[in-house]
Amino acid sequence: MATESQEIDRYISREYEHGFVTEVQQDTFPPGLDEGVVRAISAKKNEPEFMLEYRLKAFEIWQQMEPPEWAHVHYPAIDFNSISYFSAPKADSDKPQSLADVDPEILETYEKLGIPLHERAALAGVAVDAVFDSVSVATTFKDKLAEEGVIFCPLSEAVHDHPELVKQYLGSVVPTADNFYAALNAAVFSDGSFVYIPKGVRCPMELSTYFRINALNTGQFERTLIIADEGSHVSYLEGCTAPMRDENQLHAAVVELVAMKDAQIKYSTVQNWYPGDKEGKGGIYNFVTKRGDCRGARSKISWTQVETGSAITWKYPSVVLTGDDSVGEFYSVALTNNYQQADTGSKMIHIGKNSRSTIISKGISAGKAENAYRGLVKVLPGATGARNYTQCDSLLIGSRCGAHTFPYIEVQEPSAQVEHEATTSRIGEDQLFYCRQRGIAEEEAVSMIVNGFCKDVFTELPMEFAVEVQRLLGVSLEGSVG
Amino acid sequence: MLKVNDLKVEVNGKSILKGLTLNIGAGEVHAIMGPNGSGKSTLSHVLSGRDGYEVVGGSIELDGEDMLALSPEARAWKGLFLGFQYPVAIPGLNSSVFMREAVNAQRRSRGESEYDAMDFLSISREKMKLLDMDESFMSRAVNDGFSGGEKKRNEIYQMALLEPRLAILDEIDSGLDIDALKVVSEGINKLRSPERSLIMVTHYQRLLDYVVPDFVHVLSGGKIIRSGGRELALELEESGYGWLEQDMAAAE
């Protein structure tokens, strides 16, 4: 069936749509990293003293660390001195004061990406913070959110306007020394989103950030911090794209979520970074640390992600279930094609009594791609009645790709219940023939089968993303019946 | 309507069909019987265009059109339907979404407008009612977790929706108990019409008690070795395939 799988490969591979480059004047640091660069980043942003100290300490820690090598991915060693650590669109004034001040070319870029940056997007009910290379260029709906007491702004602004919150929470979920890339991020992070939902407030709209790496040879190191105070609710969406470049670009982000008593955070990602070309040249190295802390009783954190981009993805959104009766969820679809490599999964750390977690992971591999699920479920002593359910399914398209599963389970509490299920299947010639015999052409058939495979995860996505995701995977929208 | 002429088919260089000729007129029901390994399933698959079979001679025409030149989906659009012996499950793919796409693909090929969700809902309800099926079928994933009987009924339901010119039912009776067989047969009979031809591929004559064929053919060693009416099937049941094959051997 060799010809059959080539056919399938042809259908599953699409040219990258977001590979355009925006011509704006950039203020970019020369490549290289030393203490001077860290100080310069801090100075560039007029940061208060506590932030500079935070960065310098992180840089010191990072210098003593080694890049991790345990992941099931292969790439040449990264020369951290060949990367520029700061790049910002050069504006006439220091930075845009309102949407009207944003460079029209940047706005056009976001238009192309289909992001409702303008206020007219009110219809969509999504507030967007857009991060272009290293800086946050626009945050919509600030006023409306302020009425509810919700703070949604670039982190670079939060360090000035809400230093007490930043001091209290930054690094409280992902400590600087957590891992190599988290330490690097803490030293050089440029910007990102900051969200604070006050007690008892249900955030009136979906919050959204769109990340884009535009400049050549730049790393993007954004940092997101979301705090949901007692009894509050928030749903947050994150999207990412990058232009096509022959060089690999580094993206090392850190996302920290804190859910207090009875609070709920839903964090959804559609990651479509440039994956490199068909021969595996170029593409984004996506080394990300995402972690949430269910700090209060009955709190809930839910990660949903659809990953179709990046040359290499190394990412394990996690939940630390500190509070009693807290809930952690992870729903993931990771599609790898051509020479893409993904080592992704989740960690659930049970500390609170009766804490519950669910992991649903769907990996799809095509071409010569390698897709690995790596997950840790850890139940600490005293987490009585803790429960976890993990389901990990892999779908192979063609015969040259790989799927791997590395589940780690550490249970130190006898009353805990942990379940793990895993399946691997191949889009079968018999499934395709069945569809085609019914009159459904091969391309559409592949889409329908993949879509069906991902269904458990897609149903978890907010409506705003559902459409985009289906398009991303090249699938037609499932019927509006029922 | 369907003309199969001197069809020769190989699989991995091994000859399976060795010159099969079959003519089926509009509205006729033909049964093709034969022992295991006689080439029955190969015939079903070659007619519907499955990969992995090499046609080394002969022709297949449906309404005067060369089927061998067409892809499986294009044959489906021309009104050729295969009821599978082993319908495959597609987890997560809603049956209703699947069949709406199938029906619409066929309509597009004929330049007709597509059914929207509401149109399709009412049409599928009508077919379910005809076949006395539970509506819960529609909301389930394609064949996923279906019992043997449910899978076969689902095939007949799909046939009802697609309204084919020619339906090939490949061992539609296999794996069915007598009650399920009756239900499935009833469905097939409801779908018989003067415009629609049927090929029933089966190992056992039992099915033919319920769906009575106009013609019976015996396939053995890659050829049709005997054709007759309904009574041929009964004869076979009494004596098995052995006597026919011996006849053949003697004649050669």
Side-chain angles (χ1 to χ4, degrees):
Chain A
M1 298 295 147
T3 53
E4 191 79 21
S5 35
Q6 281 159 15
E7 288 280 288
I8 301 170
D9 286 356
R10 191 157 55 78
Y11 288 124
I12 202 82
S13 61
R14 308 272 156 99
E15 293 297 324
Y16 188 68
E17 280 179 46
H18 303 292
F20 53 86
V21 178
T22 307
E23 296 296 336
V24 287
Q25 286 217 316
Q26 298 267 350
D27 179 7
T28 303
F29 283 12
L33 183 57
D34 56 23
E35 196 187 305
V37 170
V38 175
R39 284 180 184 278
I41 292 170
S42 189
K44 199 89 194 163
K45 303 174 105 46
N46 291 318
E47 284 181 347
E49 188 60 26
F50 82 91
M51 279 310 303
L52 177 62
E53 279 167 24
Y54 181 85
R55 287 177 184 278
L56 290 175
K57 195 174 155 221
F59 182 66
E60 205 185 301
I61 292 170
W62 178 73
Q63 282 182 305
Q64 289 153 24
M65 295 176 91
E66 294 290 328
E69 281 174 357
W70 42 263
H72 191 79
V73 294
H74 308 279
Y75 55 93
I78 298 170
D79 176 3
F80 290 92
N81 278 318
S82 69
I83 296 168
S84 165
Y85 289 83
F86 187 83
S87 174
K90 206 182 258 172
D92 291 343
S93 57
D94 275 329
K95 66 181 215 182
Q97 298 303 309
S98 75
L99 276 178
D101 297 338
V102 175
D103 188 321
E105 286 224 33
I106 294 179
L107 290 181
E108 211 174 282
T109 302
Y110 286 113
E111 289 280 348
K112 279 187 209 165
L113 297 170
I115 308 154
L117 192 64
H118 287 92
E119 300 281 348
R120 64 159 189 240
L123 289 170
V126 179
V128 179
D129 183 20
V131 177
F132 194 85
D133 287 325
S134 301
V135 291
S136 200
V137 289
T139 306
T140 57
F141 292 107
K142 246 182 178 170
D143 301 342
K144 177 139 193 250
L145 292 167
E147 279 170 32
E148 302 276 349
V150 173
I151 303 167
F152 178 38
C153 66
L155 186 57
S156 57
E157 253 175 70
V159 298
H160 292 284
D161 301 347
H162 310 282
E164 69 299 338
L165 287 174
V166 174
K167 262 189 222 170
Q168 187 181 349
Y169 291 105
L170 188 71
S172 74
V173 185
V174 180
T176 298
D178 189 82
N179 66 69
F180 183 81
Y181 291 104
L184 177 63
N185 177 286
V188 303
F189 76 84
S190 34
D191 215 337
S193 294
F194 175 82
V195 177
Y196 174 78
I197 316 289
K199 279 182 190 170
V201 170
R202 190 175 274 268
C203 187
M205 59 184 71
E206 306 267 356
L207 303 181
S208 174
T209 303
Y210 225 95
F211 294 109
R212 176 151 180 94
I213 299 179
N214 191 59
L216 193 64
N217 292 329
T218 354
Q220 179 148 329
F221 307 93
E222 84 273 357
R223 184 145 192 138
T224 298
L225 176 58
I226 299 177
I227 303 137
D229 215 329
E230 291 180 11
S232 68
H233 284 234
V234 62
S235 171
Y236 187 90
L237 322 176
E238 172 198 71
C240 328
T241 59
M244 293 195 232
R245 305 275 194 200
D246 281 349
E247 296 79 15
N248 295 105
Q249 287 177 285
L250 178 63
H251 174 250
V254 171
V255 175
E256 295 179 281
L257 312 181
V258 181
M260 308 306 279
K261 201 171 75 175
D262 296 306
Q264 294 193 11
I265 302 175
K266 184 176 176 70
Y267 193 104
S268 312
T269 305
V270 173
Q271 185 266 102
N272 185 24
W273 295 120
Y274 178 51
D277 68 10
K278 289 200 165 61
E279 277 71 52
K281 194 169 188 202
I284 304 288
Y285 288 169
N286 191 34
F287 302 143
V288 173
T289 306
K290 288 184 163 176
R291 192 173 305 152
D293 186 3
C294 280
R295 222 163 264 187
R298 295 172 302 280
S299 56
K300 178 177 173 182
I301 289 178
S302 180
W303 298 100
T304 305
Q305 60 173 32
V306 177
E307 309 260 318
T308 63
S310 295
I312 298 175
T313 300
W314 178 97
K315 171 177 166 181
Y316 315 90
S318 313
V319 184
V320 182
L321 296 147
T322 313
D324 291 347
D325 301 297
S326 58
V327 176
E329 294 174 338
F330 173 75
Y331 300 96
S332 167
V333 168
L335 173 82
T336 49
N337 192 12
N338 296 322
Y339 286 87
Q340 277 178 275
Q341 306 175 55
D343 191 303
T344 181
S346 183
K347 287 192 278 186
M348 295 289 174
I349 315 294
H350 291 260
I351 299 168
K353 293 184 175 58
N354 299 314
S355 50
R356 301 188 303 280
S357 63
T358 305
I359 296 173
I360 308 283
S361 164
K362 305 276 182 177
I364 303 159
S365 310
K368 294 176 183 165
E370 293 287 328
N371 204 329
Y373 168 83
R374 185 183 306 275
L376 169 68
V377 176
K378 187 168 187 170
V379 182
L380 295 173
T384 51
R387 276 179 301 166
N388 163 268
Y389 174 73
T390 300
Q391 186 189 331
C392 224
D393 299 323
S394 306
L395 184 68
L396 303 175
I397 303 176
S399 54
R400 287 160 300 151
C401 52
H404 313 270
T405 305
F406 305 99
Y408 305 86
I409 299 173
E410 295 171 24
V411 179
Q412 295 155 8
E413 169 55 53
S415 66
Q417 277 182 36
V418 175
E419 281 177 73
H420 179 95
E421 287 181 27
T423 66
T424 300
S425 53
R426 199 178 286 278
I427 286 194
E429 193 266 336
D430 50 346
Q431 282 176 326
L432 272 181
F433 179 64
Y434 190 76
C435 294
R436 295 179 73 188
Q437 206 302 306
R438 294 299 180 254
I440 299 170
E442 196 161 16
E443 178 175 10
E444 182 64 20
V446 170
S447 290
M448 289 180 111
I449 294 167
V450 169
N451 194 7
F453 174 75
C454 300
K455 191 168 190 159
D456 299 347
V457 174
F458 287 172
T459 53
E460 295 298 323
L461 282 174
M463 279 305 289
E464 285 81 358
F465 264 15
V467 178
E468 181 178 350
V469 161
Q470 306 242 358
R471 197 180 56 81
L472 251 187
L473 292 188
V475 296
S476 66
L477 192 60
E478 285 210 359
S480 40
V481 175
Chain B
M1 187 175 64
L2 177 75
K3 286 194 162 82
V4 180
N5 189 33
D6 197 25
L7 185 66
K8 293 180 177 135
V9 175
E10 291 181 357
V11 176
N12 297 329
K14 189 174 175 242
S15 175
I16 306 288
L17 296 183
K18 302 168 182 170
L20 182 144
T21 297
L22 184 65
N23 287 302
I24 293 180
E28 293 175 358
V29 176
H30 290 239
I32 295 183
M33 303 185 68
N36 290 330
S38 58
K40 296 195 303 288
S41 280
T42 297
L43 178 61
S44 306
H45 288 148
V46 170
L47 288 176
S48 49
R50 187 166 194 155
D51 277 355
Y53 299 90
E54 198 185 347
V55 176
V56 293
S59 63
I60 303 172
E61 282 179 17
L62 181 65
D63 292 325
E65 196 164 354
D66 176 17
M67 285 292 110
L68 290 173
L70 299 180
S71 66
E73 53 269 33
R75 296 184 201 195
W77 301 334
K78 299 288 177 193
L80 188 148
F81 177 90
L82 173 63
F84 285 74
Q85 183 179 4
Y86 304 110
V88 61
I90 308 178
L93 176 55
N94 178 280
S95 293
S96 184
V97 170
F98 174 70
M99 282 313 294
R100 179 151 70 95
E101 177 53 31
V103 170
N104 279 336
Q106 192 182 57
R107 291 180 66 83
R108 279 197 299 271
S109 77
R110 295 196 298 242
E112 295 167 0
S113 66
E114 296 187 22
Y115 288 136
D116 67 21
M118 290 313 290
D119 295 339
F120 184 76
L121 185 66
S122 59
I123 290 160
S124 57
R125 279 199 173 130
E126 183 193 308
K127 301 296 184 191
M128 293 206 151
K129 211 169 152 189
L130 175 76
L131 300 174
D132 199 20
M133 284 169 71
D134 194 291
E135 280 196 19
S136 66
F137 261 96
M138 280 199 300
S139 53
R140 294 166 70 181
V142 178
N143 293 317
D144 195 23
F146 283 30
S147 71
E150 284 175 332
K151 281 184 186 170
K152 296 301 172 78
R153 286 181 78 183
N154 195 34
E155 293 293 290
I156 302 304
Y157 161 66
Q158 295 186 357
M159 172 179 159
L161 277 172
L162 289 165
E163 302 183 326
R165 290 273 291 141
L166 170 72
I168 306 149
L169 303 178
D170 189 5
E171 309 223 7
I172 199 77
D173 51 335
S174 70
L176 296 186
D177 62 28
I178 192 73
D179 292 328
L181 179 66
K182 278 184 189 167
V183 173
V184 167
S185 304
E186 229 168 81
I188 297 171
N189 284 327
K190 282 179 183 164
L191 297 176
R192 285 176 79 156
S193 93
E195 292 84 44
R196 180 169 301 139
S197 309
L198 278 180
I199 299 175
M200 320 252 296
V201 177
T202 180
H203 190 85
Y204 300 105
Q205 107 79 27
R206 189 179 67 156
L207 170 68
L208 308 181
D209 288 340
Y210 300 96
V211 184
V212 180
D214 302 309
F215 301 94
V216 175
H217 310 276
V218 178
L219 182 60
S220 178
K223 279 181 170 178
I224 287 177
I225 55 168
R226 180 75 67 94
S227 295
R230 164 93 180 89
E231 67 290 342
L232 179 57
L234 296 170
E235 232 173 304
L236 279 171
E237 186 176 48
E238 209 136 291
S239 328
Y241 291 105
W243 61 277
L244 276 178
E245 285 170 343
Q246 277 161 20
D247 265 17
M248 277 295 292
E252 268 171 20

